[in-house]
Amino acid sequence: MPSSHLLLEEPIRMVSILEPSKPSFFSAMTKIVGTLGPKSRSVETISGCLKAGMSVARFDFSWHDPEYHQETLENLKAAIKSTKKLCAVMLDTVGAEMQVVNKSEKAISLEANGQVVLTPDQGQEASSEILPINFDGLAKAVKKGDTIFIGQYLFTGSETTSVWLEVSEVKGQDVVCIIKNTATLAGSLFTLHASQIHIDLPTLTEKDQEVISSWGVKNKIDFLSLSYTRHAEDVRQAREFLSKLGDLSQTQIFAKIENVEGLTHFDEILQEADGIILSRGNLGIDLPPEKVFLFQKSALYKCNMAGKPAVLTRVVDSMTDNLRPTRAEATDVANAVLDGSDAILLGAETLRGLYPIETISTVGRICSEAEKVFNQDLYFKRTVKYVGEPMTHLESIASSAVRAAIKVKASIIICFTSSGRAARLIAKYRPTMPVLSVVIPRLKTNQLKWSFSGAFEARQSLIVRGLFPMLADPRHPAESTSATNESILKVALDHGKALGVIKSHDRVVVCQKLGDASVVKIIELED
C-alpha cells in the first residue's frame, strides 16, 4: 500500500483563497471533538463551543474525579438545551499510563546533565533528585540508553515544561537517569512515557472499569476512547466488559493508538474497533519525527477504506496560549482533512487553553476551506476500486447515492436508517454535500420494559465526516408504507430548509428502504 495518498491532482484555484469564508449551519463537514475542563466547563463557554462547531465532548479521566466531570456534563446538557445543538459524549480512559506523583505540587527544577532517580516508592517526596512513579515494573522494562519523557500535559513539546531523560543504570526497583534538557515540572501529576518499550500494565485498568461502570453507565456514554490500545484483544476485552453494562453494549469503542506496539498491530485493531484516534502527542515521542506523517497518511487511508471514523489529535497546540495558530499548524489541520480525517480532537487547547471557543471556530474554518479543494472524484474512484466487485447490496446503494448526488449537484443527501450503518456507508464515499441521517427508532424490550433505540445511533454519527443526524418520530417505522415514509421525508426536508441547506428548486437525493428493497431517488423541490 502506498504510504502517501494526496488527494489534490490539480492546482488549487487561487480564487478560492481570495473568497471570504461564508458562515453556514454546517461550519465544516469535518467534526471537532473538544475536551472539557477548567477553561471550558461553564454553561456559557460550552454553549459557545457548540455554536462554534464542537459535536463531541471528551471527558478525560486521567485527571480529576467523577464528581467534577459530572458537574461539567450537567453544564453540557444545559448548553445543548439552550443552543439546540446535538453533542455526543466521549469517556477517555487512563489506560496503561505511567505517572509521576507530586503530592506537594511544588515546581520541580531539573538541570541538564544532572541526575534524577525514578522510584516506585510513592512515600517519597517528589524533588529535583527523586521522582516517585505509580508503576513498580519500570526497572524491569528499561535498560541503559533507553529514552524516557516526562511532562504535565502529554508533552507540550516545550523544552521548558517537558523533560527528556536517558537511562544510565537500574538499581533494584529504581531507575537512575541523566537529564538531557533543563526544565521545570509544575503541577501535581506528570505523565511518563518510555519510548518504544512494552509496559506491563492492563489497557483497561481497575480504575477505568470502576469509572465506566458508574459514571459511564449513569450517563450512557456514546464513545469510549481506549487509551494505549496495543492489541486487538484490548478492544475485544473492552467490548466484553461494556456488553455486560446494559445500555453501554451500544457504546462505540475508539482505539487510541499512541505507541509503536499499537502501530505494529494496527490492522487487527482496526478490524475490531469502531473507530481510531491517532494520538500524535505520544506517537511523536515513540516514532522518529520523520516517520509520523507516513503513519498518519497510511492509517487514515486504512480507516477511510474500512469506512471507520479516524480522529486526529495535537494539531493546534500553540492556540492553548494564543488566539491564532502557527502557519505550520494551520497547514497541518488542512492536510489532516485532505488525508481523510473524520474529526479533529482538541485536548489542552480547549481543556486548559485560554481561547477554547476561538480555537474550535478557527479549526472549523480551516477544515471548511480544505474541504472545498478535497479531490472527491479521485477519492471516490479509489474507494470503489478498493471495495472491488461484487459489492455488497448496501455498499452498492451507498456509492450509487453519492454518485447520483454529485452528478445532479444535489444540495443534500437524506438517508433513512435504523442502525446508522447505511448513513455511515454513504459518508464513507465522502460526498461533497452534507448527509442528513434520519434515524428511525426501533422498539426493543428486555422482558421487563419496552424502549426505543435511536438516540445512540443518532449521536454516534456526530463523529463521522459529513454526517448530520436527525431523530425521527418513533411512530414511523423505517420499513413502513411509502405514505409514512413520505411524511418523514417532508419533516426531513423542512428541517433542511430551516437549517438553510435546502432551498427552492434544489435537488435532493434520498436513500431509503421500501419493503425488502433499498432505493435511491432524486427529487427536485418546488417553490
Side-chain angles (χ1 to χ4, degrees), residues 460-517:
Q460 284 166 346
S461 61
L462 290 167
I463 206 164
V464 181
R465 180 153 147 191
L467 208 50
F468 299 90
M470 172 187 158
L471 197 56
D473 187 325
R475 290 169 296 184
H476 295 200
E479 291 87 11
S480 75
T481 64
S482 57
T484 50
N485 263 327
E486 286 305 318
S487 65
I488 306 175
L489 178 57
K490 185 180 183 311
V491 172
L493 290 171
D494 289 344
H495 183 62
K497 286 173 186 172
L499 298 177
V501 290
I502 308 174
K503 57 188 188 302
S504 299
H505 304 296
D506 274 2
R507 287 172 177 173
V508 174
V509 167
V510 181
C511 185
Q512 64 187 122
K513 203 167 182 182
L514 285 177
D516 294 331

Side-chain angles (χ1 to χ4, degrees), residues 11 34 207 241 243 273 300 343 356 419 498:
K207 183 188 171 188
F241 178 70
S243 70
L300 290 177
S419 65

Side-chain angles (χ1 to χ4, degrees), residues 202-377:
T203 302
L204 203 61
T205 64
E206 280 183 25
K207 183 188 171 188
D208 291 330
Q209 291 183 20
E210 194 181 306
V211 163
I212 294 164
S213 48
S214 55
W215 194 91
V217 169
K218 177 184 176 182
N219 297 300
K220 297 184 180 179
I221 54 166
D222 302 296
F223 303 109
L224 180 74
S225 165
L226 193 61
S227 295
Y228 295 94
T229 303
R230 295 166 286 188
H231 302 271
E233 186 57 32
D234 295 339
V235 183
R236 283 192 286 271
Q237 285 175 4
R239 201 175 299 286
E240 190 183 342
F241 178 70
L242 290 179
S243 70
K244 297 168 185 167
L245 298 173
D247 284 328
L248 294 202
S249 60
Q250 294 182 76
T251 297
Q252 289 190 348
I253 298 172
F254 274 56
K256 206 170 174 191
I257 308 297
E258 33 197 335
N259 55 26
V260 165
E261 238 179 312
L263 290 190
T264 309
H265 305 107
F266 184 84
D267 291 353
E268 306 98 89
I269 291 170
L270 179 60
Q271 277 189 315
E272 287 294 329
D274 296 299
I276 297 287
I277 297 173
L278 306 179
S279 183
R280 299 191 311 171
N282 278 343
L283 274 174
I285 292 162
D286 239 29
L287 285 173
E290 67 273 17
K291 298 286 187 188
V292 176
F293 85 97
L294 283 172
F295 164 66
Q296 176 177 314
K297 287 181 179 290
S298 171
L300 290 177
Y301 172 79
K302 288 177 178 181
C303 289
N304 290 167
M305 295 303 107
K308 293 190 177 181
V311 182
L312 209 64
T313 71
R314 302 303 293 268
V315 287
V316 285
D317 287 356
S318 73
M319 288 196 79
T320 305
D321 304 305
N322 300 293
L323 258 174
R324 285 169 67 91
T326 65
R327 291 165 295 241
E329 287 171 337
T331 305
D332 191 24
V333 173
N335 278 326
V337 173
L338 297 176
D339 284 349
S341 291
D342 282 83
I344 302 291
L345 189 154
L346 301 171
E349 303 98 320
T350 55
L351 172 94
R352 62 184 174 91
L354 303 179
Y355 310 102
I357 299 167
E358 292 84 352
T359 302
I360 292 167
S361 179
T362 301
V363 169
R365 287 199 307 274
I366 298 167
C367 290
S368 182
E369 285 296 314
E371 287 158 11
K372 290 176 188 174
V373 294
F374 180 77
N375 193 329
Q376 200 281 336
D377 186 49

Side-chain angles (χ1 to χ4, degrees), residues 63 99-106 126 152 185-190:
W63 64 279
Q99 296 171 330
V100 174
V101 185
N102 179 21
K103 289 174 187 168
S104 72
E105 297 195 27
K106 288 177 185 167
Q152 190 179 8
L185 301 178
S188 60
L189 210 60
F190 319 116

Side-chain angles (χ1 to χ4, degrees), residues 442-470:
R442 285 183 295 194
L443 195 59
K444 58 176 188 174
T445 181
N446 62 0
Q447 307 304 317
L448 294 172
K449 63 176 183 176
W450 290 89
S451 62
F452 284 106
S453 70
F456 269 102
E457 291 83 352
R459 288 193 303 267
Q460 284 166 346
S461 61
L462 290 167
I463 206 164
V464 181
R465 180 153 147 191
L467 208 50
F468 299 90
M470 172 187 158

Side-chain angles (χ1 to χ4, degrees), residues 63-138:
W63 64 279
H64 249 303
D65 54 36
E67 289 74 29
Y68 180 91
H69 289 300
Q70 190 63 43
E71 282 176 26
T72 308
L73 182 56
E74 294 308 322
N75 289 346
L76 171 65
K77 288 176 185 173
I80 290 169
K81 203 171 176 182
S82 68
T83 60
K84 295 183 171 58
K85 300 274 188 187
L86 276 178
C87 188
V89 171
M90 175 182 281
L91 187 161
D92 200 315
T93 64
V94 179
E97 182 172 285
M98 294 181 290
Q99 296 171 330
V100 174
V101 185
N102 179 21
K103 289 174 187 168
S104 72
E105 297 195 27
K106 288 177 185 167
I108 297 166
S109 298
L110 299 167
E111 294 292 327
N113 303 317
Q115 276 197 345
V116 67
V117 177
L118 305 178
T119 178
D121 180 3
Q122 291 189 43
Q124 297 262 26
E125 192 74 41
S127 68
S128 303
E129 290 78 41
I130 195 153
L131 296 174
I133 61 173
N134 68 341
F135 176 55
D136 58 12
L138 186 64

